[in-house]
Amino acid sequence: MPVAAIVFIIDPTQRSRPAKEILIALFGLTPAECRVAMLLADGKSATEIASTLGVTRNTLKSHVAKIYAKTGTSRQSQVARLLLKLPGNPI
């Protein structure tokens, strides 16, 4: 069985956002779920996210539930922590 490893080198002083391709590959998020996940990680409220993306609160609630299920999280702070640990592009 082949063995593989991946190493991420992260500068904790640089705030970054993972590329949507990383979120799609690691967690199977859709592009819409990626947008929501990144806004969750930015600390935005449900109202702010719905307004920014032009979606209803019910649509947002559905996206958030799917994000939690796919990432194995259950709170916004857990999503934020998870995304901040991934390599990304500086904001």
Side-chain angles (χ1 to χ4, degrees):
M1 173 183 253
V3 177
I6 188 166
V7 176
F8 297 116
I9 300 174
I10 301 169
D11 181 351
T13 63
Q14 295 293 316
R15 189 165 174 234
S16 66
R17 223 178 220 197
K20 72 177 180 180
E21 292 79 16
I22 291 175
L23 299 178
I24 291 168
L26 290 177
F27 305 112
L29 298 182
T30 67
E33 291 165 353
C34 290
R35 288 188 292 275
V36 172
M38 288 187 203
L39 291 169
L40 287 172
D42 288 344
K44 302 292 184 191
S45 70
T47 302
E48 290 172 311
I49 295 170
S51 176
T52 298
L53 298 178
V55 299
T56 66
R57 292 204 31 122
N58 284 337
T59 297
L60 179 63
K61 189 174 179 179
S62 174
H63 285 317
V64 171
K66 289 176 185 173
I67 291 165
Y68 289 166
K70 290 178 179 182
T71 60
T73 58
S74 59
R75 299 176 50 153
Q76 181 173 355
S77 61
Q78 293 172 327
V79 173
R81 193 171 25 251
L82 178 64
L83 268 58
L84 290 173
K85 288 181 181 180
L86 297 174
N89 305 315
I91 297 176

